[in-house]
Amino acid sequence: MKYLCQIWFDTEASKLVPQQEWDVLTDECIVSDDNWRDRGVLVTALALRAPESATTLRLKSGKVTATDGPFAEIKEHLGGFVVIEAADMEQAREVVATFPILKYASVEIRPGYSIKDGR
């Protein structure tokens, strides 16, 4: 089963972390990703740019509208995601518990399924 692991940062607190700490964390996460890949549990991992770089699309009255930046003021922002393969939620939790990003962010683990087959 595949699990989406969403990495959520406290927006204001993350601005206070010195760049040197981010650089060390990035190196630790690269090692972690490589370890997970070698173990066969990592499907994909991506960091996301700052919320200000986002565009939100909505369909209103048959027309697509776009809003630059985050749609609303937020206390937390999605900073990245990882998709892992695990037998069950317990194994997914065990894998994510080793993720260095937990020092600076929370990680929401959510089971995924294919909409084609509903599983």
Side-chain angles (χ1 to χ4, degrees), residues 66-80:
T67 304
D68 289 337
F71 182 71
E73 290 296 318
I74 53 177
K75 288 184 155 191
E76 292 185 316
H77 67 274
L78 183 61

Side-chain angles (χ1 to χ4, degrees), residues 2-3 10-11 22 41 45 79 86 89 91 108 116:
K2 290 182 177 51
Y3 291 86
D10 178 306
T11 300
W22 285 125
V41 298
M89 180 61 84
Q91 184 183 32
E108 177 185 321
K116 188 173 182 178

